[in-house]
Amino acid sequence: MISFRAFNEAWEEWESLVEKDGLWDNIRQKKARMKAGSGEKKAKKGDKDYPKTLDIESVEHRRNPEKYAEKPDDELSFEQRRKKRMNDPKRGINSPAFKKFMASQGM
């Protein structure tokens, strides 16, 4: 059984997390301030406040790393193995050896 004090502390911590504004709440608040004439502007590309990327895949990877972990070669399909092999910087189509071979072929 959990003590009343421990439950109360956990409840207060949970309430503090729930009460925080989310991303969309912050966006709506900023739009309202801008409409009211606060002088704020939206961040544009190159500004320090502008996000570098909206990298959804990395967020998903952090939430569930087992699902997005790299599979061993024997579990990949032929096309996936071929794509991985071709993109390999040491042996793929962008490798110096392949470029040298293509130059020797006159291509």
Side-chain angles (χ1 to χ4, degrees), residues 2-3 15-16 18 23 29 31 36-37 39 42 45 51 53-54 58 64 69 77 81 86 88 90 92-93 99:
I2 188 169
S3 70
E15 280 186 330
S16 69
V18 171
L23 173 67
Q29 290 170 3
K31 282 185 179 182
K42 288 183 180 179
K45 284 188 178 180
T53 61
L54 294 175
S58 71
N64 191 354
S77 69
R81 286 194 313 265
M86 293 300 274
D88 184 9
K90 293 183 180 177
I93 59 173
K99 289 179 181 177

Side-chain angles (χ1 to χ4, degrees), residues 74-90:
D74 59 335
E75 291 182 15
L76 298 174
S77 69
F78 175 77
E79 287 299 320
Q80 291 171 328
R81 286 194 313 265
R82 182 177 179 272
K83 184 177 180 182
K84 184 177 176 183
R85 199 171 53 244
M86 293 300 274
N87 290 331
D88 184 9
K90 293 183 180 177

Side-chain angles (χ1 to χ4, degrees), residues 11-77:
W11 182 262
E12 288 174 3
E13 182 182 347
W14 181 81
E15 280 186 330
S16 69
L17 292 174
V18 171
E19 290 173 0
K20 289 184 180 178
D21 291 337
L23 173 67
W24 291 106
D25 291 327
N26 294 339
I27 291 170
R28 287 185 198 103
Q29 290 170 3
K30 184 170 184 174
K31 282 185 179 182
R33 288 192 310 264
M34 288 171 25
K35 194 173 187 179
S38 69
E40 291 179 88
K41 295 180 181 176
K42 288 183 180 179
K44 296 189 173 148
K45 284 188 178 180
D47 290 350
K48 65 176 183 143
D49 296 334
Y50 193 80
K52 290 187 171 99
T53 61
L54 294 175
D55 195 2
I56 304 300
E57 290 179 5
S58 71
V59 172
E60 290 295 322
H61 177 68
R62 281 184 262 147
R63 281 191 195 150
N64 191 354
E66 293 98 22
K67 181 177 178 184
Y68 295 96
E70 190 172 326
K71 295 179 182 176
D73 284 345
D74 59 335
E75 291 182 15
L76 298 174
S77 69

Side-chain angles (χ1 to χ4, degrees), residues 100-107:
K100 183 179 175 185
F101 168 74
M102 292 302 282
S104 70
Q105 296 295 317
M107 297 182 190

